[in-house]
Amino acid sequence: MKPTTEELVNRFNHHIPKEGEPERYNAGRTLLLDVAVEIGNLTPASREQSVALTKLEEAMFWANASIARS
């Protein structure tokens, strides 16, 4: 489905945090940081470990985008 101009503007605009959002961002970051630390502790340094950590960063990005864009 082709996105509307309004949807694209929402995706690409800067979103100023609203009340309560910074706390939600921090909660998500803390949760994913805890998982990242565990992955770092449980797995050997490798390409696979690097990819797993990158995917957690992506998850954090998309979770934050979800908060910001809604």
Side-chain angles (χ1 to χ4, degrees), residues 35-57:
V35 174
V37 168
E38 285 301 311
I39 287 174
N41 290 334
L42 295 172
T43 62
S46 61
R47 177 183 177 277
E48 292 80 7
Q49 181 195 62
S50 179
V51 170
L53 295 173
T54 297
K55 295 300 180 181
L56 286 176
E57 288 180 271

Side-chain angles (χ1 to χ4, degrees), residues 4-15:
T4 66
T5 300
E6 181 180 334
E7 290 169 330
L8 292 173
V9 167
N10 188 47
R11 288 184 191 182
F12 286 87
N13 263 350
H14 172 70
H15 300 275

Side-chain angles (χ1 to χ4, degrees), residues 25-39:
Y25 293 133
N26 289 333
R29 283 189 190 102
T30 299
L31 176 65
L32 290 168
L33 173 60
D34 290 345
V35 174
V37 168
E38 285 301 311
I39 287 174

